[in-house]
Amino acid sequence: MEKINSLQNAHVKAWKKLQTKKGRRQQGLYLLDGWHLVNEALKAKQPIKALLITAKQLATKPDLTVFPTVIEISEEVAAHISATVTPQGVFALVPLATSQADPLTDLDLTRPWLLLDNVQDPGNIGTMVRTADAAGFAGVAFGRGTVDLHQPKVERSMQGSQFHLKLISTDLESLVERLHTADVPVYGSELNPQAAQYLDVRAPACFGLIMGNEGNGMRRELLALTDKNLYIPIKGQAESLNVAVAAGILMFGLYR
Amino acid sequence: MEKINSLQNAHVKAWKKLQTKKGRRQQGLYLLDGWHLVNEALKAKQPIKALLITAKQLATKPDLTVFPTVIEISEEVAAHISATVTPQGVFALVPLATSQADPLTDLDLTRPWLLLDNVQDPGNIGTMVRTADAAGFAGVAFGRGTVDLHQPKVERSMQGSQFHLKLISTDLESLVERLHTADVPVYGSELNPQAAQYLDVRAPACFGLIMGNEGNGMRRELLALTDKNLYIPIKGQAESLNVAVAAGILMFGLYR
């Protein structure tokens, strides 16, 4: 088994760069951090290129026959390439899906889609993907301006749900157009006087639901393309709901 | 105006200790960090003891006549006493509510209560308080084992909702007993075979809803005292929902 201990090693330098979108695109790879995500990727039959593992984790005698390549790394290397403060000491290198094919062809239109417009907080994004998974959605679309789906904190907070439903990065205007072509309604979630109370809406089996930026909500241009805007009635004095909580209420409220 | 620049100052040492529960109890005070919380406290007519403010914030010429005492502090002192990485430079010292009175007498029983059992993450707690505010709940009870309600991160993530509804720290078993005495039903949120689908429950105007620990759920002893346990049907492959998202779905689902 190859062993890599030095932060000066060229591989280590390359792995560190996978924390950035540019690094991931240039290498065509992303990194999964920790056994939970690695095991979820295995369960979902993701094509793992290599496993990076510390001596301490090797001592737990995991089954490594499933990995084409296993490289032992030092604790120092693990700490360097991880985006967490206390990494577990196990990582998988996974090829990015080849984005040759247009993600908008071949969409599952039997179930709903969640569309993220300029959402910024990795924790919120991960929680929404996990909730969409739990609610039985077909997938989540990451619009331009939304944090990249392979950003380490986003990967971690999705907790494996990234392998349970379809995640696509796309221009949301094009996706809305595609949904409209198939007579699928798209709902916005901007508080405005024309908004409909979400419980009054009878959503079909497939619809699109757009959640916007934490501070500014949805972009006007996108809002203009929606069929209906939904609001959650606020009874108390809170100015707003956390975006992930609002998404949960709407997803479970609309799709029962 | 008094000016304090040194980290060696006895006041500064005392303020720093307000980050801990022991320090808050010993001094009978807690700290609000940032204009948003300070302004929410003013709006709610909280008895602010003193305002601590940097020269930079003073230069914005805020109206300080409402504060009995104003102390100018250096940026270094601000950074030292704040629990945030980039403090705004304004803090209010607020007396803790005198806990002589039993929080369980004089409960508002016209609207629902959220009960937090061993919830650990300050962000989750703050989000749940904010959601309970938005859902029109009467208050939130912090059970033993749940992070203290005046913990700086909890204060911050409540975003002002702490002044919009009643927050009490109490033994949850006693609170459930008190609610039962008034014929108020208490719902648990533990996934179990006897659980009822939350949408099938017709909740009265006042009820108690218990949310448990992020990893382990509710304590068994408390679960045994509930009238019904509710579950949110999971359609996908996610193992669970984030506790704050689940709380939002249940609060808005039960109390319309």
Side-chain angles (χ1 to χ4, degrees), chain A residues 36 40 127 130-131 133-136 161 164 198-199 232-242 244-245 248-249 252 255-256, chain B residues 40 127 130-131 133-136 161 164 198-199 232-242 244-245 248-249 252 255-256:
Chain A
H36 180 65
E40 286 281 343
T127 302
R130 198 175 146 200
T131 309
D133 175 12
S161 284
H164 302 160
Y198 76 108
L199 289 169
I232 300 169
I234 294 203
K235 294 184 183 177
Q237 301 168 66
E239 285 159 24
S240 63
L241 288 164
N242 165 278
V245 171
I249 294 169
F252 276 88
Y255 189 59
R256 298 189 178 161
Chain B
E40 286 280 343
T127 302
R130 198 175 145 200
T131 309
D133 175 12
S161 284
H164 302 160
Y198 77 109
L199 289 169
I232 299 169
I234 294 202
K235 294 183 184 175
Q237 300 169 66
E239 284 159 25
S240 63
L241 288 163
N242 165 278
V245 171
I249 294 169
F252 276 87
Y255 188 59
R256 295 186 181 164

Tab-separated table of all heavy atoms in Angstrom, chain A residues 36 40 127 130-131 133-136 161 164 198-199 232-242 244-245 248-249 252 255-256, chain B residues 40 127 130-131 133-136 161 164 198-199 232-242 244-245 248-249 252 255-256:
chain	number	residue	atom	x	y	z
A	36	HIS	N	-19.215	7.761	7.142
A	36	HIS	CA	-20.640	7.779	6.824
A	36	HIS	C	-20.867	8.073	5.335
A	36	HIS	O	-21.573	7.337	4.642
A	36	HIS	CB	-21.390	8.797	7.701
A	36	HIS	CG	-22.851	8.856	7.416
A	36	HIS	ND1	-23.705	7.798	7.657
A	36	HIS	CD2	-23.628	9.819	6.852
A	36	HIS	CE1	-24.932	8.119	7.287
A	36	HIS	NE2	-24.914	9.332	6.786
A	40	GLU	N	-22.126	5.594	2.340
A	40	GLU	CA	-23.312	5.945	1.555
A	40	GLU	C	-22.978	5.925	0.053
A	40	GLU	O	-23.785	5.500	-0.764
A	40	GLU	CB	-23.828	7.333	1.947
A	40	GLU	CG	-24.529	7.379	3.303
A	40	GLU	CD	-25.972	6.867	3.251
A	40	GLU	OE1	-26.534	6.781	2.142
A	40	GLU	OE2	-26.526	6.551	4.315
A	127	THR	N	-29.249	20.653	4.726
A	127	THR	CA	-30.500	20.317	5.416
A	127	THR	C	-31.657	20.245	4.427
A	127	THR	O	-32.511	19.355	4.514
A	127	THR	CB	-30.798	21.368	6.507
A	127	THR	OG1	-29.697	21.399	7.416
A	127	THR	CG2	-32.050	21.019	7.286
A	130	ARG	N	-31.446	16.993	2.444
A	130	ARG	CA	-31.851	15.890	3.312
A	130	ARG	C	-33.383	15.876	3.477
A	130	ARG	O	-34.012	14.823	3.435
A	130	ARG	CB	-31.174	16.149	4.668
A	130	ARG	CG	-31.066	15.005	5.599
A	130	ARG	CD	-30.258	15.468	6.810
A	130	ARG	NE	-30.712	14.839	8.016
A	130	ARG	CZ	-30.487	15.289	9.247
A	130	ARG	NH1	-29.816	16.421	9.426
A	130	ARG	NH2	-30.934	14.646	10.293
A	131	THR	N	-33.976	17.056	3.628
A	131	THR	CA	-35.424	17.142	3.787
A	131	THR	C	-36.136	16.760	2.492
A	131	THR	O	-37.167	16.083	2.520
A	131	THR	CB	-35.832	18.569	4.217
A	131	THR	OG1	-35.047	18.960	5.344
A	131	THR	CG2	-37.299	18.619	4.605
A	133	ASP	N	-35.053	14.687	0.304
A	133	ASP	CA	-34.924	13.228	0.272
A	133	ASP	C	-36.051	12.617	1.124
A	133	ASP	O	-36.828	11.773	0.656
A	133	ASP	CB	-33.538	12.850	0.821
A	133	ASP	CG	-33.308	11.356	0.964
A	133	ASP	OD1	-34.109	10.559	0.441
A	133	ASP	OD2	-32.295	10.986	1.616
A	134	ALA	N	-36.172	13.098	2.360
A	134	ALA	CA	-37.195	12.564	3.277
A	134	ALA	C	-38.608	12.774	2.738
A	134	ALA	O	-39.502	11.957	2.974
A	134	ALA	CB	-37.052	13.213	4.645
A	135	ALA	N	-38.825	13.867	2.033
A	135	ALA	CA	-40.161	14.184	1.521
A	135	ALA	C	-40.464	13.440	0.231
A	135	ALA	O	-41.567	13.550	-0.306
A	135	ALA	CB	-40.292	15.695	1.302
A	136	GLY	N	-39.494	12.699	-0.294
A	136	GLY	CA	-39.731	11.911	-1.499
A	136	GLY	C	-39.610	12.678	-2.796
A	136	GLY	O	-40.152	12.285	-3.825
A	161	SER	N	-27.746	11.986	1.790
A	161	SER	CA	-28.916	12.189	0.935
A	161	SER	C	-28.525	12.541	-0.492
A	161	SER	O	-29.305	12.352	-1.422
A	161	SER	CB	-29.827	13.289	1.511
A	161	SER	OG	-30.556	12.800	2.611
A	164	HIS	N	-29.233	9.759	-2.632
A	164	HIS	CA	-30.597	9.208	-2.634
A	164	HIS	C	-31.520	9.892	-3.629
A	164	HIS	O	-32.591	9.399	-3.922
A	164	HIS	CB	-31.223	9.343	-1.239
A	164	HIS	CG	-30.452	8.674	-0.158
A	164	HIS	ND1	-30.605	8.997	1.163
A	164	HIS	CD2	-29.515	7.701	-0.194
A	164	HIS	CE1	-29.792	8.251	1.902
A	164	HIS	NE2	-29.116	7.464	1.097
A	198	TYR	N	-49.966	28.488	1.564
A	198	TYR	CA	-49.495	27.203	1.007
A	198	TYR	C	-50.493	26.074	1.215
A	198	TYR	O	-50.564	25.141	0.425
A	198	TYR	CB	-48.117	26.842	1.571
A	198	TYR	CG	-48.109	26.309	2.992
A	198	TYR	CD1	-47.852	24.962	3.255
A	198	TYR	CD2	-48.353	27.146	4.068
A	198	TYR	CE1	-47.847	24.478	4.552
A	198	TYR	CE2	-48.335	26.665	5.366
A	198	TYR	CZ	-48.091	25.326	5.603
A	198	TYR	OH	-48.092	24.853	6.880
A	199	LEU	N	-51.275	26.155	2.294
A	199	LEU	CA	-52.212	25.068	2.561
A	199	LEU	C	-53.424	25.110	1.635
A	199	LEU	O	-54.174	24.141	1.541
A	199	LEU	CB	-52.672	25.115	4.023
A	199	LEU	CG	-51.586	24.716	5.030
A	199	LEU	CD1	-52.030	25.048	6.439
A	199	LEU	CD2	-51.255	23.226	4.907
A	232	ILE	N	-46.153	31.151	4.001
A	232	ILE	CA	-46.481	30.451	5.243
A	232	ILE	C	-46.975	31.522	6.210
A	232	ILE	O	-46.245	32.466	6.498
A	232	ILE	CB	-45.214	29.759	5.806
A	232	ILE	CG1	-44.679	28.746	4.792
A	232	ILE	CG2	-45.508	29.096	7.140
A	232	ILE	CD1	-43.303	28.206	5.143
A	233	PRO	N	-48.215	31.430	6.676
A	233	PRO	CA	-48.735	32.490	7.539
A	233	PRO	C	-47.959	32.577	8.849
A	233	PRO	O	-47.779	31.577	9.538
A	233	PRO	CB	-50.186	32.081	7.788
A	233	PRO	CG	-50.268	30.645	7.433
A	233	PRO	CD	-49.192	30.353	6.443
A	234	ILE	N	-47.472	33.775	9.173
A	234	ILE	CA	-46.707	33.990	10.415
A	234	ILE	C	-47.631	34.636	11.434
A	234	ILE	O	-48.222	35.671	11.178
A	234	ILE	CB	-45.454	34.834	10.121
A	234	ILE	CG1	-44.529	34.010	9.214
A	234	ILE	CG2	-44.774	35.274	11.412
A	234	ILE	CD1	-43.090	34.369	9.243
A	235	LYS	N	-47.791	33.949	12.565
A	235	LYS	CA	-48.725	34.431	13.580
A	235	LYS	C	-48.054	35.294	14.629
A	235	LYS	O	-48.669	36.141	15.228
A	235	LYS	CB	-49.355	33.234	14.303
A	235	LYS	CG	-50.247	32.389	13.436
A	235	LYS	CD	-50.878	31.291	14.278
A	235	LYS	CE	-51.720	30.371	13.409
A	235	LYS	NZ	-52.290	29.276	14.178
A	236	GLY	N	-46.795	35.017	14.921
A	236	GLY	CA	-46.112	35.735	15.989
A	236	GLY	C	-45.417	36.961	15.445
A	236	GLY	O	-45.838	37.560	14.452
A	237	GLN	N	-44.328	37.337	16.104
A	237	GLN	CA	-43.610	38.554	15.726
A	237	GLN	C	-42.306	38.273	14.990
A	237	GLN	O	-41.554	39.196	14.704
A	237	GLN	CB	-43.301	39.384	16.969
A	237	GLN	CG	-44.505	39.805	17.769
A	237	GLN	CD	-44.087	40.371	19.121
A	237	GLN	OE1	-43.451	41.416	19.195
A	237	GLN	NE2	-44.415	39.681	20.193
A	238	ALA	N	-42.010	37.005	14.721
A	238	ALA	CA	-40.784	36.708	13.988
A	238	ALA	C	-40.890	37.323	12.598
A	238	ALA	O	-41.955	37.327	11.995
A	238	ALA	CB	-40.574	35.203	13.885
A	239	GLU	N	-39.776	37.871	12.117
A	239	GLU	CA	-39.821	38.517	10.802
A	239	GLU	C	-39.838	37.500	9.681
A	239	GLU	O	-40.366	37.754	8.603
A	239	GLU	CB	-38.617	39.449	10.649
A	239	GLU	CG	-38.778	40.733	11.444
A	239	GLU	CD	-37.444	41.414	11.724
A	239	GLU	OE1	-36.488	41.184	10.958
A	239	GLU	OE2	-37.366	42.147	12.724
A	240	SER	N	-39.245	36.357	9.921
A	240	SER	CA	-39.142	35.356	8.862
A	240	SER	C	-38.813	34.016	9.493
A	240	SER	O	-38.520	33.925	10.678
A	240	SER	CB	-38.027	35.740	7.891
A	240	SER	OG	-36.788	35.737	8.581
A	241	LEU	N	-38.841	32.993	8.660
A	241	LEU	CA	-38.427	31.664	9.088
A	241	LEU	C	-37.054	31.375	8.499
A	241	LEU	O	-36.702	31.908	7.453
A	241	LEU	CB	-39.416	30.617	8.564
A	241	LEU	CG	-40.784	30.590	9.233
A	241	LEU	CD1	-41.775	29.819	8.381
A	241	LEU	CD2	-40.675	29.940	10.611
A	242	ASN	N	-36.305	30.511	9.148
A	242	ASN	CA	-35.074	30.010	8.553
A	242	ASN	C	-35.439	29.337	7.233
A	242	ASN	O	-36.467	28.659	7.131
A	242	ASN	CB	-34.442	29.018	9.542
A	242	ASN	CG	-33.375	28.164	8.906
A	242	ASN	OD1	-33.663	27.159	8.252
A	242	ASN	ND2	-32.132	28.551	9.068
A	244	ALA	N	-34.349	26.779	5.612
A	244	ALA	CA	-34.455	25.316	5.603
A	244	ALA	C	-35.731	24.867	6.316
A	244	ALA	O	-36.365	23.880	5.923
A	244	ALA	CB	-33.224	24.682	6.255
A	245	VAL	N	-36.127	25.596	7.355
A	245	VAL	CA	-37.382	25.278	8.052
A	245	VAL	C	-38.556	25.570	7.122
A	245	VAL	O	-39.467	24.749	6.974
A	245	VAL	CB	-37.503	26.086	9.365
A	245	VAL	CG1	-38.886	25.920	9.972
A	245	VAL	CG2	-36.442	25.652	10.360
A	248	GLY	N	-38.873	22.941	4.568
A	248	GLY	CA	-39.438	21.716	5.148
A	248	GLY	C	-40.951	21.811	5.266
A	248	GLY	O	-41.678	20.878	4.904
A	249	ILE	N	-41.442	22.934	5.763
A	249	ILE	CA	-42.888	23.125	5.920
A	249	ILE	C	-43.577	23.068	4.558
A	249	ILE	O	-44.608	22.416	4.393
A	249	ILE	CB	-43.169	24.466	6.634
A	249	ILE	CG1	-42.643	24.402	8.071
A	249	ILE	CG2	-44.663	24.810	6.608
A	249	ILE	CD1	-42.621	25.749	8.797
A	252	PHE	N	-43.276	19.326	2.877
A	252	PHE	CA	-44.185	18.360	3.494
A	252	PHE	C	-45.634	18.816	3.395
A	252	PHE	O	-46.545	17.996	3.355
A	252	PHE	CB	-43.769	18.078	4.946
A	252	PHE	CG	-42.704	17.034	5.048
A	252	PHE	CD1	-41.371	17.376	4.973
A	252	PHE	CD2	-43.046	15.691	5.158
A	252	PHE	CE1	-40.378	16.402	5.029
A	252	PHE	CE2	-42.065	14.711	5.225
A	252	PHE	CZ	-40.728	15.064	5.159
A	255	TYR	N	-46.627	18.150	-0.569
A	255	TYR	CA	-46.462	16.811	-1.144
A	255	TYR	C	-46.701	15.775	-0.071
A	255	TYR	O	-45.805	15.419	0.684
A	255	TYR	CB	-45.046	16.674	-1.721
A	255	TYR	CG	-44.808	15.422	-2.522
A	255	TYR	CD1	-45.583	15.147	-3.644
A	255	TYR	CD2	-43.802	14.531	-2.178
A	255	TYR	CE1	-45.354	14.003	-4.392
A	255	TYR	CE2	-43.565	13.390	-2.920
A	255	TYR	CZ	-44.346	13.124	-4.029
A	255	TYR	OH	-44.120	12.000	-4.769
A	256	ARG	N	-47.936	15.345	0.060
A	256	ARG	CA	-48.277	14.427	1.160
A	256	ARG	C	-48.399	12.993	0.694
A	256	ARG	O	-49.030	12.715	-0.273
A	256	ARG	CB	-49.606	14.861	1.770
A	256	ARG	CG	-49.450	16.246	2.340
A	256	ARG	CD	-50.638	16.644	3.139
A	256	ARG	NE	-50.405	17.969	3.692
A	256	ARG	CZ	-51.378	18.744	4.138
A	256	ARG	NH1	-52.613	18.333	4.119
A	256	ARG	NH2	-51.093	19.928	4.625
B	40	GLU	N	-33.957	44.779	19.764
B	40	GLU	CA	-35.113	43.921	20.086
B	40	GLU	C	-35.382	43.954	21.596
B	40	GLU	O	-36.529	43.957	22.026
B	40	GLU	CB	-34.852	42.482	19.622
B	40	GLU	CG	-34.939	42.286	18.115
B	40	GLU	CD	-36.385	42.165	17.617
B	40	GLU	OE1	-37.287	41.917	18.436
B	40	GLU	OE2	-36.607	42.344	16.402
B	127	THR	N	-33.154	28.345	16.098
B	127	THR	CA	-34.087	28.208	14.974
B	127	THR	C	-35.461	27.744	15.465
B	127	THR	O	-36.490	28.225	14.994
B	127	THR	CB	-33.522	27.209	13.945
B	127	THR	OG1	-32.255	27.694	13.511
B	127	THR	CG2	-34.430	27.080	12.737
B	130	ARG	N	-37.269	30.653	17.134
B	130	ARG	CA	-37.730	31.571	16.090
B	130	ARG	C	-38.964	30.996	15.381
B	130	ARG	O	-39.921	31.710	15.090
B	130	ARG	CB	-36.559	31.712	15.110
B	130	ARG	CG	-36.590	32.876	14.206
B	130	ARG	CD	-35.280	32.886	13.414
B	130	ARG	NE	-35.483	33.369	12.065
B	130	ARG	CZ	-34.662	33.144	11.045
B	130	ARG	NH1	-33.553	32.437	11.221
B	130	ARG	NH2	-34.928	33.617	9.853
B	131	THR	N	-38.949	29.691	15.111
B	131	THR	CA	-40.079	29.055	14.433
B	131	THR	C	-41.304	29.032	15.342
B	131	THR	O	-42.434	29.253	14.886
B	131	THR	CB	-39.710	27.622	14.000
B	131	THR	OG1	-38.477	27.658	13.276
B	131	THR	CG2	-40.772	27.026	13.101
B	133	ASP	N	-42.004	31.176	17.621
B	133	ASP	CA	-42.492	32.555	17.573
B	133	ASP	C	-43.364	32.738	16.324
B	133	ASP	O	-44.520	33.173	16.405
B	133	ASP	CB	-41.265	33.493	17.555
B	133	ASP	CG	-41.594	34.974	17.378
B	133	ASP	OD1	-42.786	35.349	17.495
B	133	ASP	OD2	-40.657	35.762	17.137
B	134	ALA	N	-42.837	32.363	15.167
B	134	ALA	CA	-43.575	32.518	13.907
B	134	ALA	C	-44.873	31.720	13.904
B	134	ALA	O	-45.872	32.131	13.308
B	134	ALA	CB	-42.701	32.090	12.734
B	135	ALA	N	-44.881	30.584	14.569
B	135	ALA	CA	-46.072	29.724	14.573
B	135	ALA	C	-47.089	30.184	15.608
B	135	ALA	O	-48.170	29.608	15.707
B	135	ALA	CB	-45.667	28.270	14.827
B	136	GLY	N	-46.746	31.206	16.384
B	136	GLY	CA	-47.694	31.741	17.356
B	136	GLY	C	-47.762	30.975	18.667
B	136	GLY	O	-48.761	31.042	19.377
B	161	SER	N	-36.367	36.649	18.706
B	161	SER	CA	-37.585	35.925	19.085
B	161	SER	C	-37.633	35.651	20.583
B	161	SER	O	-38.714	35.445	21.134
B	161	SER	CB	-37.702	34.606	18.301
B	161	SER	OG	-38.114	34.871	16.975
B	164	HIS	N	-40.125	37.772	22.085
B	164	HIS	CA	-41.485	37.732	21.534
B	164	HIS	C	-42.357	36.665	22.174
B	164	HIS	O	-43.567	36.673	22.018
B	164	HIS	CB	-41.448	37.462	20.022
B	164	HIS	CG	-40.666	38.472	19.251
B	164	HIS	ND1	-40.168	38.222	17.995
B	164	HIS	CD2	-40.284	39.744	19.556
B	164	HIS	CE1	-39.514	39.294	17.567
B	164	HIS	NE2	-39.565	40.221	18.488
B	198	TYR	N	-48.651	12.743	12.066
B	198	TYR	CA	-48.983	14.059	12.646
B	198	TYR	C	-50.190	14.714	11.982
B	198	TYR	O	-50.912	15.464	12.630
B	198	TYR	CB	-47.764	14.986	12.606
B	198	TYR	CG	-47.456	15.583	11.248
B	198	TYR	CD1	-47.683	16.938	11.005
B	198	TYR	CD2	-46.946	14.815	10.205
B	198	TYR	CE1	-47.393	17.497	9.763
B	198	TYR	CE2	-46.660	15.365	8.979
B	198	TYR	CZ	-46.889	16.706	8.755
B	198	TYR	OH	-46.620	17.252	7.543
B	199	LEU	N	-50.432	14.419	10.716
B	199	LEU	CA	-51.553	15.062	10.023
B	199	LEU	C	-52.896	14.471	10.439
B	199	LEU	O	-53.946	15.056	10.180
B	199	LEU	CB	-51.375	14.940	8.502
B	199	LEU	CG	-50.253	15.811	7.935
B	199	LEU	CD1	-49.962	15.437	6.491
B	199	LEU	CD2	-50.613	17.299	8.043
B	232	ILE	N	-43.514	12.009	11.404
B	232	ILE	CA	-43.618	12.618	10.083
B	232	ILE	C	-43.258	11.519	9.096
B	232	ILE	O	-42.158	10.973	9.161
B	232	ILE	CB	-42.617	13.789	9.964
B	232	ILE	CG1	-42.940	14.861	11.018
B	232	ILE	CG2	-42.641	14.382	8.568
B	232	ILE	CD1	-41.862	15.924	11.159
B	233	PRO	N	-44.177	11.153	8.200
B	233	PRO	CA	-43.881	10.042	7.295
B	233	PRO	C	-42.715	10.364	6.361
B	233	PRO	O	-42.703	11.393	5.699
B	233	PRO	CB	-45.177	9.865	6.500
B	233	PRO	CG	-45.949	11.118	6.695
B	233	PRO	CD	-45.503	11.734	7.983
B	234	ILE	N	-41.723	9.495	6.334
B	234	ILE	CA	-40.552	9.689	5.482
B	234	ILE	C	-40.697	8.818	4.247
B	234	ILE	O	-40.870	7.609	4.348
B	234	ILE	CB	-39.259	9.383	6.280
B	234	ILE	CG1	-39.132	10.441	7.386
B	234	ILE	CG2	-38.036	9.331	5.381
B	234	ILE	CD1	-37.766	10.665	7.936
B	235	LYS	N	-40.677	9.475	3.082
B	235	LYS	CA	-40.902	8.743	1.834
B	235	LYS	C	-39.618	8.302	1.162
B	235	LYS	O	-39.593	7.329	0.448
B	235	LYS	CB	-41.649	9.636	0.841
B	235	LYS	CG	-43.062	9.998	1.272
B	235	LYS	CD	-43.725	10.815	0.179
B	235	LYS	CE	-45.099	11.278	0.601
B	235	LYS	NZ	-45.709	12.164	-0.401
B	236	GLY	N	-38.554	9.084	1.366
B	236	GLY	CA	-37.303	8.777	0.679
B	236	GLY	C	-36.430	7.873	1.519
B	236	GLY	O	-36.914	7.092	2.334
B	237	GLN	N	-35.129	8.010	1.342
B	237	GLN	CA	-34.189	7.146	2.055
B	237	GLN	C	-33.465	7.859	3.191
B	237	GLN	O	-32.582	7.276	3.815
B	237	GLN	CB	-33.133	6.618	1.083
B	237	GLN	CG	-33.692	5.811	-0.071
B	237	GLN	CD	-32.618	5.565	-1.116
B	237	GLN	OE1	-31.643	4.866	-0.854
B	237	GLN	NE2	-32.759	6.153	-2.282
B	238	ALA	N	-33.811	9.129	3.452
B	238	ALA	CA	-33.165	9.828	4.565
B	238	ALA	C	-33.519	9.106	5.854
B	238	ALA	O	-34.643	8.636	6.023
B	238	ALA	CB	-33.624	11.279	4.617
B	239	GLU	N	-32.544	9.005	6.755
B	239	GLU	CA	-32.801	8.284	7.996
B	239	GLU	C	-33.633	9.121	8.965
B	239	GLU	O	-34.372	8.599	9.784
B	239	GLU	CB	-31.473	7.912	8.666
B	239	GLU	CG	-30.806	6.734	7.980
B	239	GLU	CD	-29.320	6.663	8.271
B	239	GLU	OE1	-28.896	7.187	9.312
B	239	GLU	OE2	-28.582	6.098	7.425
B	240	SER	N	-33.480	10.432	8.869
B	240	SER	CA	-34.176	11.301	9.808
B	240	SER	C	-34.201	12.706	9.230
B	240	SER	O	-33.566	12.995	8.223
B	240	SER	CB	-33.448	11.319	11.140
B	240	SER	OG	-32.156	11.867	10.965
B	241	LEU	N	-34.940	13.570	9.912
B	241	LEU	CA	-34.952	14.979	9.560
B	241	LEU	C	-34.120	15.740	10.579
B	241	LEU	O	-33.989	15.316	11.722
B	241	LEU	CB	-36.389	15.506	9.605
B	241	LEU	CG	-37.311	15.048	8.477
B	241	LEU	CD1	-38.769	15.283	8.858
B	241	LEU	CD2	-36.978	15.818	7.209
B	242	ASN	N	-33.594	16.870	10.185
B	242	ASN	CA	-32.973	17.770	11.150
B	242	ASN	C	-34.027	18.150	12.192
B	242	ASN	O	-35.195	18.361	11.852
B	242	ASN	CB	-32.481	19.011	10.396
B	242	ASN	CG	-32.141	20.170	11.317
B	242	ASN	OD1	-33.018	20.906	11.742
B	242	ASN	ND2	-30.881	20.316	11.642
B	244	ALA	N	-34.704	20.797	13.901
B	244	ALA	CA	-35.376	22.092	13.745
B	244	ALA	C	-36.366	22.058	12.589
B	244	ALA	O	-37.436	22.680	12.647
B	244	ALA	CB	-34.350	23.206	13.541
B	245	VAL	N	-36.034	21.315	11.529
B	245	VAL	CA	-36.964	21.162	10.400
B	245	VAL	C	-38.183	20.355	10.853
B	245	VAL	O	-39.335	20.733	10.588
B	245	VAL	CB	-36.277	20.473	9.199
B	245	VAL	CG1	-37.284	20.122	8.117
B	245	VAL	CG2	-35.182	21.370	8.630
B	248	GLY	N	-40.423	22.439	12.911
B	248	GLY	CA	-41.178	23.387	12.080
B	248	GLY	C	-42.369	22.722	11.412
B	248	GLY	O	-43.482	23.258	11.407
B	249	ILE	N	-42.144	21.527	10.860
B	249	ILE	CA	-43.233	20.796	10.189
B	249	ILE	C	-44.331	20.464	11.199
B	249	ILE	O	-45.522	20.650	10.929
B	249	ILE	CB	-42.682	19.514	9.525
B	249	ILE	CG1	-41.735	19.889	8.377
B	249	ILE	CG2	-43.815	18.618	9.025
B	249	ILE	CD1	-40.931	18.723	7.821
B	252	PHE	N	-46.179	23.890	12.567
B	252	PHE	CA	-47.088	24.460	11.585
B	252	PHE	C	-48.172	23.465	11.179
B	252	PHE	O	-49.273	23.857	10.814
B	252	PHE	CB	-46.326	25.002	10.372
B	252	PHE	CG	-45.806	26.395	10.597
B	252	PHE	CD1	-44.578	26.608	11.191
B	252	PHE	CD2	-46.572	27.504	10.255
B	252	PHE	CE1	-44.110	27.892	11.426
B	252	PHE	CE2	-46.122	28.789	10.479
B	252	PHE	CZ	-44.879	28.994	11.076
B	255	TYR	N	-50.719	23.396	14.462
B	255	TYR	CA	-51.335	24.635	14.959
B	255	TYR	C	-51.539	25.580	13.781
B	255	TYR	O	-50.652	26.311	13.400
B	255	TYR	CB	-50.409	25.262	16.006
B	255	TYR	CG	-51.001	26.448	16.731
B	255	TYR	CD1	-52.184	26.321	17.450
B	255	TYR	CD2	-50.368	27.694	16.723
B	255	TYR	CE1	-52.723	27.396	18.133
B	255	TYR	CE2	-50.900	28.776	17.411
B	255	TYR	CZ	-52.080	28.620	18.111
B	255	TYR	OH	-52.614	29.695	18.788
B	256	ARG	N	-52.720	25.487	13.175
B	256	ARG	CA	-52.960	26.275	11.960
B	256	ARG	C	-53.795	27.513	12.241
B	256	ARG	O	-54.806	27.440	12.863
B	256	ARG	CB	-53.670	25.408	10.941
B	256	ARG	CG	-52.757	24.286	10.526
B	256	ARG	CD	-53.351	23.473	9.421
B	256	ARG	NE	-52.416	22.404	9.102
B	256	ARG	CZ	-52.761	21.335	8.400
B	256	ARG	NH1	-54.002	21.202	7.965
B	256	ARG	NH2	-51.858	20.409	8.146
